[in-house]
Amino acid sequence: MDEKRLDINEIYDKYYRDVYHFALYFTNNKQEAEDITQETFIKIIKSISTLKDPDRLKTWILSIARNTAMDLHRKRKFVSLFPEWVFDKEKDSITPEDRLIQKGEWTELHSALLKLKQQYRTVVILRGLKELSIKETADILGCSEAKVRVDYHRGLQLLKKQVLSNDEGWGLKDGQS
Amino acid sequence: MDNRKQDSFDQRFLAPLKNRPGLEPDESFVEKLRTEISQESKINNLPFKPKWRWPVLVPMAMAVLLFSVLTASFVGKETQMDNKSGSDKIAITSDTGDSNKKDNTPKKERDIYQLINDHQAFDRLYNQISKETGSTTVGRELVYYFDALEKDDKDYLREHLEDGYSTKKLTDLVDYYKMADFTTLKVETIYKDTGAFTYQVVISYMDKGRKEAVKKRLILDVTGKTIISDYVTPDSWDKEKDLLVKKKIELIENNLTYGMSKDEAERIFGADYKIIENPEIEGEGKEEWFYQFFVEEGTKSSVESDYIVDFTNLQNQKVGIQFWIGWSSQNEAIRMTVFYTQDGQVFANYLTEEGIRKNQESSLGELKQIGDTFKLSEKERSIYDRFKLDRESKHLKDLGPINVAKLYIQASLDGDAETQYALYTTRPDRVRWSKEEHVGYAKNEKTSSESLLASLGGIQNGIFNEESDFEGFISFETSNGPGFFQMVKDIDGIWKVAFMPIQ
């Protein structure tokens, strides 16, 4: 993107879905995904002048989204004394049709994804679900490409293991957040 | 497992999550955030980026501040002075009179979030359309349109309505909606025209004056700046002229024949035509005869060329009929198109090169209520009566798909299962059951006329959507929402009802 033509409205239209998808995958909670998306764009407005290389715009935005999601997660973890209540509240807002749709296997995968450590969850979302390149993922996470490869492989292994353990009722400690 | 196989396995493993439902954000959230960001960016003075901003901005801000202070004190003094002297100069300060204030205030932009927050029906309309179209544009533009109608914002309306809205017509439109209860506003159906950024939207609301529900079709073109087509039948509609047009149309329709000679055409339709060239036709058929009937004296065409339909004058009833015949190099009619108005609606008939007639109703304006108005036209009735006798397809050869569907409904209303069966397609690749099975089923499964008309009566006001050379569907409104009725052209070129038990 041309440096002079960085316009927040264009940026928003181009990337809001990516940010929201990331946030939703990260939290599996619509309200939290909206909060993260909103906060991400507010941060973008405030700090866009610090972006040195406009070619990095997408990875820069997603790195803000990731940090925002992790911050929010940290805050929620601290105040979340009533997980059942949160869960029930979310359930109440789901219509019978939604429930029917949600019977698909994606729910199982998503709950397994949420149980992964953030380090693995993020890399699975970026690489596996948002299909970013290894280079882009490394750029977002601020780590080496080799680490992305290793973490992605490990993340997927843990995800599969988690899904299996859900099926068979095994407890799993490794790789959980 | 090699790497490629592993990758493919991983992709399949993640696929349900990648395609999970509810992945997209709510349109109302997207729109709300867009508004917030836009406002926030204005506060932050975006768009910008340069790294040299601060060193320049700080002295600039200081300069502006200093200037503001000086100006404020100067203006303050001026105002005080002018107040004393009663001079008109006071108008340039903020203490202006109301009328001046109104003139100087920049036009307030519509805020979709504010509107849907304040107006439950707008919220419903906006969310429903956004969900159906996957875009916020159409919903937003419709909400803006109805808000402008409600607030009598003629500037906005003039800017967003299709060309040809004179001040009088605009006033008619605003007056027409005066009795509309916008709290009951609902979207009945919405279709996107294939290959275009045009949407046909059917809305409904309660009319407080007439004390009845009104359904209306609008067209939104969102290619660039949104242009809305909305049509209101003028109060002064000339019913007598309608009758004359109707008679003439029957004469034209009954004599439209593919391959007719120029002599024949002149004998039947008269010699009062203009010879024109249609630049949109390549090769044969460039030459056209252009007839206009029932033209009000002094009427000026609203289009730049005679090969273009003059919708404005047709809608204003200043022109009753426009009719074109395209000629081959052997002077045989190879194309005919006729446009005319009835009861405030523009209708069109085409005779294509394949000799097939297509009827198309104007997709604008108020829709007749479903059910109670279902009626075969005189022509349909006479064909239906003939068809019932021997059930031979040849009787249907001049009918379009909607006409045939209407005969099917009539046969259902009459409880005539055999005629109904004879209206099904005979294409070998279409699944059919036997006549005996059909008759037996019809005997056991009797449907009341009311429920039949409630579910299918809207077909007569429907739109035929061609899917291929021999297939298409009629989209129409039912009392329960949008309805679709599949039609198939038999090998002999005659439209029939597709065999679908749910139809």
Side-chain angles (χ1 to χ4, degrees):
Chain A
M1 193 183 281
D2 187 337
E3 196 169 308
K4 286 170 199 155
R5 292 181 59 210
L6 275 182
D7 177 277
I8 190 65
N9 297 310
E10 280 176 33
I11 293 171
Y12 177 73
D13 283 339
K14 200 165 174 193
Y15 295 111
Y16 77 83
R17 290 178 70 242
D18 284 327
V19 172
Y20 184 86
H21 290 171
F22 176 84
L24 191 78
Y25 282 135
F26 197 86
T27 60
N28 193 24
N29 181 305
K30 199 175 138 190
Q31 186 56 52
E32 287 185 10
E34 288 184 357
D35 289 350
I36 292 167
T37 309
Q38 184 175 21
E39 209 166 320
T40 300
F41 278 97
I42 299 298
K43 284 180 184 168
I44 290 169
I45 292 172
K46 289 187 173 150
S47 54
I48 195 155
S49 59
T50 64
L51 175 66
K52 292 184 187 98
D53 178 6
D55 291 338
R56 277 192 62 235
L57 187 63
K58 185 177 177 180
T59 54
W60 180 73
I61 288 172
L62 281 170
S63 70
I64 294 177
R66 175 214 172 212
N67 290 327
T68 309
M70 284 170 72
D71 283 350
L72 190 95
H73 186 76
R74 231 173 272 141
K75 282 182 211 159
R76 293 277 149 95
K77 222 173 174 181
F78 184 68
V79 295
S80 177
L81 298 169
F82 309 102
E84 271 72 32
W85 173 78
V86 174
F87 180 70
D88 285 341
K89 192 182 164 206
E90 195 196 340
K91 218 160 108 185
D92 284 346
S93 65
I94 296 171
T95 63
E97 288 83 354
D98 287 340
R99 263 189 218 121
L100 199 70
I101 294 168
Q102 289 184 358
K103 276 189 176 167
E105 52 188 336
W106 71 267
T107 42
E108 207 177 338
L109 265 174
H110 214 149
S111 61
L113 180 71
L114 294 185
K115 286 177 186 155
L116 293 188
K117 275 184 183 169
Q118 287 172 19
Q119 168 194 354
Y120 298 121
R121 198 193 313 172
T122 316
V123 83
V124 168
I125 294 172
L126 295 173
R127 271 293 287 146
L129 299 171
K130 293 301 293 172
E131 294 178 346
L132 268 69
S133 68
I134 288 175
K135 191 173 178 302
E136 285 171 324
T137 310
D139 194 15
I140 292 165
L141 301 176
C143 65
S144 70
E145 292 181 24
K147 183 164 166 41
V148 168
R149 279 197 188 91
V150 172
D151 279 0
Y152 180 54
H153 178 71
R154 181 92 180 114
L156 278 179
Q157 291 295 102
L158 288 167
L159 195 63
K160 287 169 195 166
K161 215 168 162 186
Q162 185 69 52
V163 170
L164 278 175
S165 78
N166 283 350
D167 278 352
E168 297 166 23
W170 293 347
L172 192 82
K173 297 284 174 219
D174 188 17
Q176 290 184 356
S177 61
Chain B
M1 208 183 272
D2 70 31
N3 278 347
R4 269 175 311 173
K5 276 187 185 161
Q6 180 64 49
D7 281 353
S8 144
F9 175 78
D10 290 345
Q11 285 305 312
R12 271 188 289 134
F13 172 67
L14 290 174
L17 198 46
K18 216 185 267 180
N19 306 316
R20 59 157 283 182
L23 185 60
E24 298 306 323
D26 279 358
E27 294 297 341
S28 56
F29 164 72
V30 173
E31 201 62 48
K32 177 192 163 195
L33 190 53
R34 182 179 283 118
T35 311
E36 276 176 15
I37 282 169
S38 192
Q39 282 163 0
E40 186 79 16
S41 70
K42 275 176 200 154
I43 295 165
N44 281 270
N45 205 16
L46 281 174
F48 53 63
K49 191 192 168 279
K51 295 178 198 85
W52 43 263
R53 210 172 97 241
W54 287 111
V56 176
L57 275 190
V58 171
M60 262 176 72
M62 293 295 286
V64 169
L65 188 67
L66 191 62
F67 177 76
S68 307
V69 170
L70 290 173
T71 314
S73 69
F74 174 75
V75 170
K77 274 179 196 164
E78 280 282 280
T79 310
Q80 280 171 9
M81 281 162 64
D82 288 337
N83 270 339
K84 278 176 199 162
S85 62
S87 157
D88 285 339
K89 270 189 186 170
I90 199 166
I92 61 161
T93 70
S94 59
D95 297 328
T96 55
D98 274 348
S99 58
N100 284 328
K101 200 184 228 171
K102 199 178 170 189
D103 289 340
N104 292 335
T105 310
K107 262 194 258 173
K108 190 184 174 296
E109 280 180 18
R110 288 189 152 73
D111 175 350
I112 186 65
Y113 185 58
Q114 190 71 42
L115 287 172
I116 62 175
N117 246 353
D118 295 348
H119 209 308
Q120 212 181 346
F122 285 173
D123 185 34
R124 187 173 55 225
L125 184 112
Y126 174 78
N127 278 306
Q128 198 185 339
I129 295 182
S130 301
K131 208 170 166 186
E132 299 254 341
T133 61
S135 149
T136 54
T137 313
V138 184
R140 186 180 61 226
E141 294 300 326
L142 262 189
V143 167
Y144 286 172
Y145 178 61
F146 287 113
D147 181 59
L149 281 169
E150 205 170 31
K151 293 183 177 139
D152 197 359
D153 182 352
K154 291 205 177 72
D155 287 341
Y156 182 89
L157 294 171
R158 198 171 283 116
E159 203 181 314
H160 288 86
L161 281 163
E162 56 170 342
D163 288 344
Y165 269 80
S166 59
T167 308
K168 162 83 178 68
K169 206 172 157 191
L170 204 59
T171 310
D172 282 349
L173 184 82
V174 174
D175 285 349
Y176 170 87
Y177 279 108
K178 278 238 162 82
M179 296 310 276
D181 179 359
F182 282 149
T183 62
T184 60
L185 195 62
K186 268 198 314 197
V187 177
E188 297 291 332
T189 52
I190 178 159
Y191 306 114
K192 185 176 187 288
D193 291 342
T194 325
F197 290 100
T198 312
Y199 292 84
Q200 293 186 28
V201 189
V202 175
I203 49 120
S204 70
Y205 56 84
M206 280 302 293
D207 186 290
K208 289 180 276 189
R210 288 150 59 180
K211 293 193 172 52
E212 62 178 12
V214 172
K215 278 190 182 182
K216 215 159 179 296
R217 189 178 276 127
L218 313 173
I219 294 180
L220 272 84
D221 184 344
V222 293
T223 316
K225 185 184 83 177
T226 300
I227 297 296
I228 296 174
S229 307
D230 191 355
Y231 183 66
V232 176
T233 310
D235 288 336
S236 54
W237 194 259
D238 185 346
K239 300 268 182 198
E240 281 178 24
K241 194 167 183 178
D242 256 8
L243 275 176
L244 295 172
V245 168
K246 195 179 169 197
K247 276 190 184 158
K248 189 81 174 176
I249 281 297
E250 276 171 10
L251 173 87
I252 294 172
E253 283 189 348
N254 292 333
N255 290 285
L256 284 176
T257 321
Y258 185 75
M260 78 193 298
S261 70
K262 284 184 170 176
D263 285 345
E264 273 178 287
E266 211 169 80
R267 187 169 46 79
I268 300 164
F269 307 123
D272 193 11
Y273 54 83
K274 222 166 151 181
I275 299 172
I276 60 166
E277 247 192 30
N278 188 335
E280 287 185 357
I281 305 291
E282 282 174 18
E284 279 221 308
K286 253 184 162 0
E287 186 197 332
E288 284 186 344
W289 282 7
F290 172 47
Y291 287 94
Q292 288 199 102
F293 300 112
F294 309 110
V295 182
E296 205 176 283
E297 220 180 298
T299 301
K300 268 176 75 182
S301 174
S302 72
V303 291
E304 73 253 29
S305 182
D306 284 333
Y307 76 94
I308 301 170
V309 186
D310 188 350
F311 272 107
T312 306
N313 281 319
L314 281 166
Q315 282 187 335
N316 290 339
Q317 221 183 3
K318 287 190 173 166
V319 175
I321 298 171
Q322 290 197 306
F323 175 37
W324 291 262
I325 308 177
W327 299 103
S328 73
S329 50
Q330 281 82 43
N331 290 333
E332 287 172 337
I334 53 168
R335 194 178 55 256
M336 294 186 186
T337 315
V338 55
F339 281 80
Y340 61 99
T341 32
Q342 282 288 284
D343 199 19
Q345 293 267 63
V346 178
F347 293 80
N349 275 357
Y350 305 90
L351 188 74
T352 65
E353 288 180 29
E354 298 83 36
I356 301 304
R357 181 169 301 156
K358 294 177 183 179
N359 300 313
Q360 207 175 61
E361 189 186 326
S362 150
S363 45
L364 281 175
E366 221 173 274
L367 301 172
K368 292 188 178 69
Q369 289 306 296
I370 296 155
D372 56 356
T373 54
F374 179 82
K375 203 180 164 204
L376 294 185
S377 68
E378 278 176 40
K379 188 179 162 193
E380 286 163 348
R381 169 59 67 183
S382 95
I383 291 175
Y384 178 69
D385 289 341
R386 268 182 280 149
F387 180 72
K388 263 197 322 185
L389 297 175
D390 55 15
R391 300 190 184 104
E392 296 254 348
S393 296
K394 64 179 185 203
H395 302 297
L396 311 174
K397 71 175 168 43
D398 290 336
L399 294 182
I402 294 181
N403 308 111
V404 175
K406 281 179 75 184
L407 302 196
Y408 178 83
I409 295 165
Q410 190 60 52
S412 312
L413 288 171
D414 296 345
D416 185 347
E418 289 189 32
T419 300
Q420 216 184 10
Y421 186 80
L423 287 163
Y424 279 135
T425 179
T426 54
R427 268 188 179 263
D429 56 336
R430 298 284 151 162
V431 184
R432 281 178 9 131
W433 54 12
S434 71
K435 193 160 115 185
E436 289 67 37
E437 279 173 301
H438 180 76
V439 173
Y441 176 82
K443 256 187 201 161
N444 295 328
E445 296 289 326
K446 285 222 157 69
T447 314
S448 71
S449 302
E450 289 75 26
S451 66
L452 194 73
L453 288 175
S455 58
L456 294 177
I459 278 183
Q460 66 180 352
N461 296 320
I463 296 170
F464 183 65
N465 306 274
E466 264 188 83
E467 291 175 303
S468 71
D469 289 346
F470 66 91
E471 208 169 3
F473 63 92
I474 302 163
S475 48
F476 59 100
E477 275 73 54
T478 77
S479 52
N480 297 317
F484 303 96
F485 199 82
Q486 195 76 27
M487 300 296 292
V488 179
K489 200 191 279 177
D490 272 353
I491 290 166
D492 56 7
I494 291 169
W495 283 103
K496 291 285 194 67
V497 175
F499 178 76
M500 292 170 92
I502 51 163
Q503 289 199 158

